[in-house]
Amino acid sequence: MSDEKVKKKAIATDAGIEIERIYTKAIPVNEDAGQFPFTRGVQQDMYRGKLWTMRQYAGFSTAEESNERYHFLLKQGTTGLSVAFDLPTQIGYDSDHALAEGEVGKAGVAIDSLADMEILFNGIELEKITTSMTINATAAVLLSMYVALAKRQGANLANVSGTIQNDILKEYAARGTYIYPPKPSMKIITDIFAWCAAELPKWNTISVSGYHIREAGADAVQELAFTLADGKAYLEAAISQGLDINVFAKRISFFFNAHNNLFEEVAKFRAARRMWAKITSDLGATDPRAQMLRFHTQTGGSTLTAQQPHNNITRVTIQALAAVLGGTQSLHTNGFDEALALPTEDAARIALRTQQIIAHESGATQTVDPLGGSYYVEWLTAEVERKAWDYITRIDKMGGAVAAIEQGFIQKEIADSAYKYQKDIESTEKIIVGVNKFTLKEPPFDDILTVNDSIRIIQTEKLAALKSNRNASLVQQQLQHLESAARDGSNLMPHILTAVDNYTTLGEISDVLRKVYGEYTGN
């Protein structure tokens, strides 16, 4: 066969965007950072003025043990806390529930009541630290516990800041820790929007999460498109409840993943800001701060390998650099051992030091949008944006993100992408160092953090003591008020806050709402 007939194999990004050998045509970059549509960043000086918030996602076992880790991280220089909750907490079961067995304290910290929240933040002034909580179906309950604790500390709620993830749509599409059907879940979310606008003005009331969409197998374009489609659905839900987009859109943030294809990830972050500016302005936002896409980034958990785990330090460094070059507002770097277990203190320290080295030694912070104007990066930003808009247009034609989820469209697209990615690894079309190439025979990596099953016993004993010492009749009265509010459509937040303040448990509150709303089965 002649050379002319041999077609060279296309080189493409992880999302399948074909890449030319060289780019020689400039796409004009006329805007400044801090100006609509914010492609180059949401602050004019970006990191020249203030570094991103360095968060380390942590939470395991009991509130006591997690509190120790938080104090450790704060001493190491972390500038914001990010709380991981165990699965029973995420799906509204107290630790003594039969379905909680085997899961208490494993994927995060077990929080059953305000008493646990008091221990979790013991010695930490909530008015002086920002806290991100990865919680969705039970977000209203955990936020109420946090607010109740802040009040007990004497904090001015006008100064309390942080984020609850509160993104239930991606749970139906990608992650699965939902409780109630979509419509009542969206009602609870808009209740939180409205209550925080009046009572907790600095709180980010939702962090629309592409992270878990990506972890489920989506590529970078799908992560961007499905996340912004979800964000658009939340905007429309809030507008339908009479909320002012110029007020509540300021309190929406985003949570993205960062994978190893450095330039594609940077392009994704830049395109995200540009697209969100258009979405918000099309829906009526006129305040520039309501048009800005602010986001937290976490390095890619699904990219970490159990084989040769120290290689993950390099992966995390590339991913963290992509987030910084892409203009993130806060960042969590994974521990190198997280493919095996929860991170040890050594792994958590190295992960934090990775951020600090990028911040203070790499030079990446010295100018705004340092890759802006690159022929390749500007072209790739536009191409990622174009492909993401194609998805959003298809979703809009289906009736929006909720309808697309109900029809299974988003789930299928993610599943197909995950299947292709795995096939590419198995065929070595996609090289994963230490997994399908450059492998070694190595002894088991045994320096890992384990959580004992006895945590459930400890939590159950705490619950028994709590219930014996609280005002049981008052708790029942408050649960009845909550049920009435759920049935008549009132805002639930004041009722949940009063309930948790008197040590009503997360499971008791969730059960009342299950009784009214039912449970979503996905059928």
Side-chain angles (χ1 to χ4, degrees), residues 369-386:
D369 188 28
L371 295 183
S374 156
Y375 295 169
Y376 175 47
V377 170
E378 293 296 346
W379 173 86
L380 190 54
T381 299
E383 191 66 7
V384 168
E385 180 183 9
R386 182 184 68 80

Side-chain angles (χ1 to χ4, degrees), residues 63 112-120 145 462 466 500 503:
D112 295 318
S113 72
L114 177 59
D116 288 324
M117 188 69 80
E118 290 169 337
I119 295 168
L120 185 67
M145 291 180 185
K462 281 185 183 179
L466 176 85
V500 300
Y503 297 100

Side-chain angles (χ1 to χ4, degrees), residues 168-176 178 212-213 216 226 230 401 404-405 410-412 414-415 520:
I168 203 64
L169 292 180
K170 66 92 176 47
E171 297 297 330
Y172 302 118
R175 191 164 175 265
Y178 47 74
H212 301 98
I213 290 170
F226 300 157
D230 286 350
I405 289 166
I410 292 176
Q411 297 92 312
K412 185 178 185 303
I414 295 171
Y520 185 68

Side-chain angles (χ1 to χ4, degrees), residues 173-338:
R175 191 164 175 265
T177 62
Y178 47 74
I179 303 174
Y180 320 112
K183 287 182 180 178
S185 293
M186 292 293 280
K187 162 64 168 58
I188 296 171
I189 287 170
T190 56
D191 283 355
I192 295 170
F193 286 172
W195 186 86
C196 287
E199 304 292 340
L200 206 63
K202 287 189 176 181
W203 195 266
N204 295 323
T205 49
I206 191 166
S207 176
V208 189
S209 176
Y211 183 85
H212 301 98
I213 290 170
R214 191 69 174 276
E215 290 292 285
D219 62 35
V221 169
Q222 292 171 330
E223 176 194 358
L224 175 57
F226 300 157
T227 304
L228 295 189
D230 286 350
K232 184 178 179 182
Y234 293 125
L235 290 177
E236 291 170 340
I239 291 169
S240 72
Q241 295 298 311
L243 299 180
D244 182 353
I245 190 172
N246 282 312
V247 175
F248 72 80
K250 295 176 186 176
R251 302 268 57 94
I252 294 178
S253 65
F254 287 80
F255 175 21
F256 287 116
N257 210 314
H259 277 215
N260 293 322
N261 193 309
L262 178 73
F263 296 109
E264 183 172 60
E265 294 302 304
V266 173
K268 178 189 74 181
F269 297 134
R270 299 175 87 246
R273 282 191 292 270
R274 196 152 72 197
M275 293 175 71
W276 186 245
K278 177 171 173 50
I279 288 169
T280 51
S281 61
D282 284 352
L283 288 173
T286 54
D287 187 329
R289 290 188 58 80
Q291 299 166 338
M292 292 178 181
L293 182 144
R294 297 163 296 113
F295 67 98
H296 169 74
T297 310
Q298 182 173 339
T299 56
S302 62
T303 70
L304 304 179
T305 65
Q307 301 91 331
Q308 301 178 38
H310 287 99
N311 292 343
N312 294 328
I313 297 173
T314 304
R315 293 186 177 102
V316 167
T317 302
I318 292 169
Q319 294 163 9
L321 183 60
V324 171
L325 294 174
T328 193
Q329 275 62 67
S330 71
L331 178 62
H332 163 78
T333 34
N334 288 330
F336 70 85
D337 54 359
E338 287 189 55

